[in-house]
């Protein structure tokens, strides 16, 4: 039996990456590659890396599920500070060259890298999360209708606010995060037009730390809370932890994103103030791509998760949220209308 390794590499993306992947930070378990020596799923993390309690950790959960079910070797690789598209492409190409299949770039920033690596390794299936611009026969664009889950978060915020002021904190001012803001604001206004929505973006680019700076998130949330916001929704990756911390300190509601942040161990001391989370099932998307490759029929093209497929929605782990009958009825009604097409949620 071959060893199964979870490999996390932090360091410059260089020609020695293959060696680093086999030598750094691995743990061993029983597993095997197939008769041709092919390995299993590999993922390359977005800004914030593993441990963001959000987007990247959701991708890792999908990898863990695939590893457990298929019993093969996997790899997960950290980003490096200030890296270029060429660095990202080299990372993905190295994973493909080692025999990993599929290879997934976690985040829109991998678009150019995935396109380049896919051209060099046409027999490997590549995936990219949150980007729909790559049209290649061996690439799956794993995208979500985040605006739909955000609309439901807006319903929850409008039904939960007592001050009639709620906040939205976006990590980076880009179209992807505009979807979260647009859906949230529409959900709030459709539920209660009297509620004011305060919106703020932390940075203009990811390189400035919008997705990886809890301190920036905390400062932004504190400013909104000072303006009477008593529910604050963050779509900001790791920076969202600061938003949740600020909300808990002021004893107001936070709404998490991507993963069920009420259940995140790192956020356990704040969980009583996490009303719900607007989730997109990155874990399921990652796992499903691995499953399709394992089954011999790899997914390609645009693969979209939405309310109808069950891959976006709200978490209900917090009993105060789950047991609020009026709130749950409002969310159920909104969900049904979105799925039927009666409500058309804006994405910008």
């Amino acid at each position: 039996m071959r060893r199964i390794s979870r490999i996390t590499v932090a360091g410059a993306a260089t020609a020695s990456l293959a060696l680093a992947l086999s030598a750094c930070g691995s743990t061993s378990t029983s597993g095997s590659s197939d008769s041709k020596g092919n390995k299993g799923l590999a993922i390359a993390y977005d800004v914030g890396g593993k441990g963001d309690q959000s987007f990247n950790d959701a991708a890792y959960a999908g990898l863990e599920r695939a590893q457990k079910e298929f019993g093969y070797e996997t790899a997960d690789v950290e980003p490096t500070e200030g890296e270029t598209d060429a660095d990202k492409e080299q990372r993905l190409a190295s994973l493909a060259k080692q025999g990993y299949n599929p290879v997934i770039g976690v985040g829109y920033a991998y678009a150019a890298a995935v396109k380049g690596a896919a051209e060099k390794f046409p027999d490997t299936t590549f995936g990219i999360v949150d980007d729909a611009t790559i049209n290649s026969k061996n690439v799956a664009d794993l995208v979500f209708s985040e605006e739909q889950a955000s609309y439901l978060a807006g319903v929850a915020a409008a039904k939960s606010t007592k001050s009639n002021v709620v906040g939205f904190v976006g990590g980076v001012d880009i179209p992807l995060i505009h979807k979260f803001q647009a859906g949230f604001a529409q959900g709030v206004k459709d539920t209660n037009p009297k509620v004011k929505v305060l919106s703020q973006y932390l940075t203009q680019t990811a390189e400035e730390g919008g997705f990886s700076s809890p301190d920036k998130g905390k400062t932004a949330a504190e400013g909104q809370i000072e303006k009477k916001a008593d529910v604050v929704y963050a779509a900001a990756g790791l920076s969202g932890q600061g938003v949740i911390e600020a909300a808990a300190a002021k004893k107001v509601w936070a709404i998490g994103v991507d993963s069920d942040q009420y259940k995140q161990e790192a956020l356990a001391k704040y969980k009583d103030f996490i009303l719900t989370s607007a989730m997109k099932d990155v874990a399921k998307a990652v796992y499903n791509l691995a499953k399709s490759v394992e089954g011999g029929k790899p997914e390609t093209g645009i693969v979209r998760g939405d309310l109808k497929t069950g891959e976006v929605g709200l978490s209900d782990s917090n009993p105060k949220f789950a047991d609020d009958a009026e709130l749950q009825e409002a969310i159920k009604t909104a969900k049904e209308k979105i799925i039927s097409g009666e409500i058309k949620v804006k994405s910008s």
Side-chain angles (χ1 to χ4, degrees):
M1 299 290 281
R2 291 179 64 87
R3 294 194 314 165
I4 227 174
S5 299
R6 187 196 71 72
I7 310 162
T8 301
V9 177
T14 66
S16 63
L17 179 60
L19 176 61
L21 282 168
S22 63
C24 296
S26 64
T27 57
S28 298
T29 293
S30 179
S32 63
S33 54
D34 66 20
S35 60
K36 296 180 181 179
N38 293 327
K39 299 175 183 178
L41 168 65
I43 61 176
Y45 293 118
D46 197 5
V47 173
K50 189 181 176 190
D52 68 349
Q53 313 300 320
S54 183
F55 185 74
N56 289 300
D57 282 1
Y60 180 66
L63 178 143
E64 283 190 305
R65 181 181 174 189
Q67 183 186 69
K68 184 180 297 184
E69 183 164 329
F70 306 131
Y72 56 27
E73 188 171 353
T74 62
D76 61 306
V77 190
E78 294 285 352
T80 60
E81 187 175 352
E83 67 186 15
T84 64
D85 287 341
D87 294 329
K88 291 183 175 71
E89 183 178 329
Q90 185 178 38
R91 177 181 303 127
L92 300 179
S94 177
L95 291 166
K97 186 176 182 180
Q98 292 176 74
Y100 289 102
N101 189 18
V103 176
I104 300 176
V106 184
Y108 69 90
Y110 277 96
V114 168
K115 183 178 181 180
E119 290 173 354
K120 293 176 182 176
F121 294 89
D123 295 329
T124 299
T125 296
F126 289 83
I128 182 166
V129 181
D130 280 351
D131 182 85
T133 65
I134 304 173
N135 183 19
S136 300
K137 63 181 181 179
N138 60 325
V139 176
D141 298 322
L142 308 176
V143 294
F144 302 86
S145 296
E146 295 95 347
E147 70 277 8
Q148 294 181 350
S150 295
Y151 184 100
L152 299 184
V155 174
K159 298 291 287 186
S160 301
T161 180
K162 293 181 173 60
S163 67
N164 278 353
V165 181
V166 301
F168 172 81
V169 176
V172 180
D173 190 357
I174 53 173
L176 173 63
I177 306 303
H178 297 170
K179 293 169 66 179
F180 290 87
Q181 179 189 7
F184 180 69
Q186 185 181 348
V188 170
K189 292 301 182 184
D190 285 357
T191 304
N192 185 351
K194 295 180 180 179
V195 177
K196 182 178 181 180
V197 180
L198 305 176
S199 296
Q200 180 177 345
Y201 287 92
L202 301 180
T203 63
Q204 294 298 306
T205 67
E207 290 74 19
E208 295 172 280
F211 291 133
S212 56
S213 305
D215 58 325
K216 293 181 188 296
K218 182 179 180 180
T219 299
E222 287 173 342
Q224 293 184 344
I225 294 167
E226 286 178 5
K227 295 177 182 177
K228 308 302 182 185
D230 59 356
V231 185
V232 184
Y233 172 40
L238 184 65
S239 299
Q241 291 191 28
V243 174
I244 292 170
E245 180 183 352
K250 297 296 183 180
K251 294 181 168 52
V252 302
W253 286 119
I255 296 178
V257 77
D258 292 341
S259 300
D260 184 354
Q261 297 196 298
Y262 183 89
K263 290 183 174 181
Q264 295 287 355
E265 185 175 344
L267 300 173
K269 60 184 176 181
Y270 309 126
K271 70 177 186 178
D272 289 343
F273 299 96
I274 301 175
L275 179 65
T276 181
S277 296
M279 299 191 300
K280 59 182 183 184
D281 203 341
V282 175
K284 184 177 179 181
V286 166
Y287 165 79
N288 280 347
L289 181 57
K291 183 179 180 180
S292 75
V293 172
E294 188 73 4
K297 296 182 178 180
E299 291 179 328
T300 58
I302 294 177
V303 182
R304 182 175 297 278
D306 56 18
L307 281 179
K308 189 173 183 179
T309 67
E311 289 175 57
V312 303
L314 295 186
S315 64
D316 59 2
S317 299
N318 189 333
K320 291 181 181 178
F321 173 79
D323 296 341
D324 187 327
E326 181 182 346
L327 175 54
Q328 291 301 319
E329 183 61 29
I331 290 169
K332 179 183 177 183
T333 299
K335 180 178 178 180
E336 290 172 349
K337 288 182 177 180
I338 292 171
I339 292 174
S340 73
E342 183 178 345
I343 293 176
K344 298 187 184 303
V345 184
K346 298 175 183 177
S347 59
S348 63

